[in-house]
Amino acid sequence: PTAQPVPLPTAATFVEAPPERLLAPQGLVELYERVNPGVVTIYIFGPADSTNVPLGQGSGFVIDVEGHIVTNHHVVQGADEIEVDFASGFKAWATLLGTDPDSDLAVLKVEAPAGELVPIPLGDSDTVRVGEQVVAIGNPFGLSGTMTVGVVSAIGRVLQSERQAPGGDFFSAGDLIQTDAAINPGNSGGPLLNLSGQVIGVNRAITTDSFSASGSAVNSGVGFAVPINIVRRVVPAIIQTGSYDYPYLGISSLGEGNLNLRQLEILRLPPETVGVYVTCVVQAGPAEKAGLIGAGACGAEQQPGGDVITAIDGQPVFSFSDLISYLVTEVGVGDQIVLTVLRDGVPLDLSLILEPRP
């Protein structure tokens, strides 16, 4: 059976996999042959009167028969011209419709013959589980059409986004999929797929302590992908308006892994405390309007006295990644949410209206 476009109430027409393809995992050879025609190589160039040597390269994939292609924001950042190369050898200049530095996504548009536009069906990243086998296809080190295999190592991870906050720090990108499938420079923007050949994420970054002679990061088995359900939210907005607004609380916290016993003792919190410790509250932000209390001025030394967020809309929050994942996947700008905080050992519910990130 052939995947058919399914209209959405937006400007995007994603392609969904028919139920028959979800009954059993496909062989890796068949999966590659079916999916690779929809994976593209991306080259970026400077001004037309400059060198014809690309400034950078990455990967992307076709999402519909109209010629929309998804890649990473950082792949096309700073480009004057963008070239898209298809698996068949066909090449085309692309138009950049817009980017989202918060999720590190970008949408391109190409004019190409219908036979070149082979959309890859999208999956559901909410169903992804740790241990699930996954496949990455992309352009590592310029080697187009490269396929690697691994497993989902973790879900709900948080990384620094590509957009700087007003105070100088960077906003957070949440709900990322961690994988040990080999991801290297040039894989960025390519698809992370399940064994049914559905895209479950957009490969974005790696964490490593190893670097090549040219200074490029080398795969260490810790890669990250933007979940496809965030793509489903962001891409239609980019196609319609060129951008996407993320909900904003206006707080800073200790982040991941900082509520160890020594930190808890310094902050005068019980050893069983879990949640998001609020270090500061941004002036005039949604959190301050709702009455959240931070431990001190933003940028000041950590000290006792901040609220601990333990739930959002009744959903338990055990870490900063839980909070960010909920904000980027479950709610939007203008929504009202309820934060449950622990203040001086007493639980308290606070309502606030989410605003767009400044």
Side-chain angles (χ1 to χ4, degrees), residues 57 138-144 146 183-187 212 214 216-219:
Q57 61 187 27
N139 179 41
F141 302 111
L143 302 170
S144 59
T146 295
I183 295 174
N184 287 291
N187 272 118
S212 67
S214 63
S216 298
V218 177
N219 172 64

Side-chain angles (χ1 to χ4, degrees), residues 318-337:
F318 297 102
S319 65
F320 184 67
S321 61
D322 292 338
L323 179 65
I324 292 296
S325 292
Y326 188 90
L327 289 174
V328 300
T329 61
E330 301 297 332
V331 291
V333 174
D335 289 347
Q336 179 173 306
I337 63 169

